[in-house]
Amino acid sequence: MFIKARREPTAHAHPGLSENGLRQCLRVAGGGTLGFVISQVMGWNYGVFFTVFPMFLLGMVPILNGSIIRQFLANVSFNALEVSLVVGLLKHMPVVMTLVVLCLFLLRFNLMAKGPLFLFGANGVLTLSILLHFASYPSVDLSDLITSNVVASVLAVFIAMLMHTLFPDAEPREPPPRGTKPPAQIRHETLIGGITATLSFIVFQVFDLQGSLSAQMATILVLFAMGYAGARVSARKRAIGTLLGCNLALVMQLLLYTQSNHFLLVIMLYWLGLMLFGREHIKEGGGSGIGFGGLTTLGILFGQSLGPSQDLVYSALYRFSSMSVALVATLLVMACLHALLDSWAPTKISATN
């Protein structure tokens, strides 16, 4: 009777969401909006860091504790050091630089495959790919790029702490089950993730795709499924989420029309959009699905493309088309790698899947 009495309120707290789910949704929307507002008010560069990092920290993990904060901040320190050394020392040797990048990605995916340091590895892969991509362009100020990343990461931690204080969980969460993977599966997931991420880095360098941040992030986020089978599902959901995010951004642009300089209206619409996709993200159970795809799409569009002389129409259309091409290419690469790795005994996982 006691257990039933405790669970009844959560069942009716919000259609489709438990009480904890609703509060996490409020944390994600509030944190993403606060990061956007601060970056816009302060006029900081690389606004996408300030919009996406709070979403990542609040959306990918439903709790906040010392271990999560240490992993998040440790990743910032390692990323700053790695990018400074790799770009500063090896920029003139692209082959050597690529091999070093491959080793860094393999290390991160190995941590993700093993499990306990998944957040450290996932955040490291995503952030490192973005930083290395932008840092390789001569027009980019490396110190400004790294500083913006550090400031955005530290700010994301404080925003997450504030959101968890304002919207704490109503009930303790059950810890996720920890399974064990055979060594062959760990090697398989490490290699397929590290090689695909490195090939993505090479393609975006060779074709000089500096303005395709959403496409680059999409190629990395689908790898969080840790395997080709999961990536196929994740890519489809990511594409749907990005399409919905782009369409919602276009609707917001039409509603704002010439009133985009009214910052309070922009904030209100942005928060409502994050709430909508945050709800879907929580209902999906977390991960890089439709909801998170929509969240990051709004974060990138508003973080990069919002300004008095800019509109979101071209940015939204270009972002979806480039992301679609990138996802298809990523899945083709992963399918080939999966077939090759599955034909080699040390990385064969067909018997375990």
Side-chain angles (χ1 to χ4, degrees):
M1 294 296 292
F2 176 72
I3 295 176
K4 183 178 180 181
R6 285 188 63 189
R7 290 186 177 179
E8 280 179 352
T10 63
H12 301 284
H14 195 272
L17 287 181
S18 66
E19 182 68 26
N20 277 358
L22 175 59
R23 295 190 181 202
Q24 185 182 0
C25 184
L26 290 169
R27 292 197 294 264
V28 172
T33 303
L34 184 57
F36 167 73
V37 170
I38 293 175
S39 66
Q40 292 292 313
V41 171
M42 299 300 293
W44 287 334
N45 295 327
Y46 304 101
V48 65
F49 291 152
F50 297 91
T51 57
V52 172
F53 284 0
M55 297 177 192
F56 185 91
L57 187 55
L58 291 165
M60 295 302 264
V61 285
I63 62 173
L64 187 69
N65 55 35
S67 175
I68 292 173
I69 293 175
R70 285 192 295 270
Q71 288 188 48
F72 196 81
L73 294 181
N75 174 70
V76 179
S77 304
F78 277 104
N79 282 163
L81 180 61
E82 289 164 344
V83 173
S84 299
L85 293 177
V86 171
V87 177
L89 299 178
L90 305 176
K91 190 175 182 179
H92 61 290
M93 296 184 289
V95 176
V96 178
M97 179 179 174
T98 301
L99 292 175
V100 173
V101 169
L102 173 61
C103 293
L104 294 176
F105 282 145
L106 288 174
L107 175 62
R108 292 304 204 286
F109 275 101
N110 185 256
L111 294 175
M112 293 168 65
K114 291 180 178 177
L117 296 178
F118 184 91
L119 179 65
F120 176 83
N123 189 33
V125 168
L126 181 62
T127 308
L128 191 60
S129 63
I130 296 173
L131 291 177
L132 288 172
H133 176 64
F134 281 115
S136 62
Y137 290 95
S139 59
V140 172
D141 186 342
L142 183 59
S143 60
D144 181 37
L145 176 66
I146 294 176
T147 301
S148 297
N149 176 61
V150 172
V151 172
S153 299
V154 174
L155 181 63
V157 170
F158 281 106
I159 289 175
M161 294 170 65
L162 176 62
M163 292 299 109
H164 276 275
T165 302
L166 294 176
F167 308 108
D169 281 337
E171 299 176 352
R173 292 179 182 264
E174 294 291 332
R178 288 191 177 184
T180 57
K181 297 179 181 179
Q185 184 175 353
I186 293 177
R187 288 190 289 265
H188 186 106
E189 293 177 351
T190 299
L191 288 171
I192 197 172
I195 294 173
T196 306
T198 305
L199 290 175
S200 172
F201 168 74
I202 294 173
V203 168
F204 279 89
Q205 289 292 290
V206 171
F207 291 97
D208 194 23
L209 301 174
Q210 187 174 2
S212 301
L213 178 60
S214 183
Q216 185 186 14
M217 285 184 62
T219 63
I220 300 299
L221 287 171
V222 295
L223 299 177
F224 290 1
M226 303 305 292
Y228 173 61
R232 285 185 301 177
V233 178
S234 178
R236 180 178 61 84
K237 291 182 177 181
R238 178 78 194 176
I240 295 173
T242 302
L243 176 62
L244 293 176
C246 291
N247 287 334
L248 183 59
L250 293 176
V251 171
M252 291 179 179
Q253 178 74 10
L254 292 175
L255 290 175
L256 289 170
Y257 197 50
T258 58
Q259 306 300 316
S260 59
N261 59 329
H262 289 202
F263 197 43
L264 288 178
L265 291 177
V266 174
I267 293 173
M268 182 183 69
L269 288 177
Y270 184 62
W271 181 83
L272 289 174
L274 295 188
M275 279 292 293
L276 178 64
F277 286 118
R279 181 179 183 274
E280 181 63 26
H281 174 67
I282 305 305
K283 288 180 65 178
E284 291 177 310
S288 181
I290 296 175
F292 197 71
L295 284 170
T296 54
T297 297
L298 284 183
I300 293 171
L301 285 170
F302 277 74
Q304 279 192 317
S305 308
L306 186 70
S309 60
Q310 295 175 305
D311 66 66
L312 300 177
V313 177
Y314 171 78
S315 296
L317 296 177
Y318 172 73
R319 188 149 279 111
F320 178 71
S321 60
S322 62
M323 183 275 306
S324 299
V325 174
L327 283 179
V328 171
T330 300
L331 288 179
L332 290 175
V333 169
M334 293 186 71
C336 295
L337 288 173
H338 175 76
L340 289 173
L341 293 172
D342 214 32
S343 63
W344 188 36
T347 57
K348 186 177 181 63
I349 64 171
S350 58
T352 61
N353 284 351

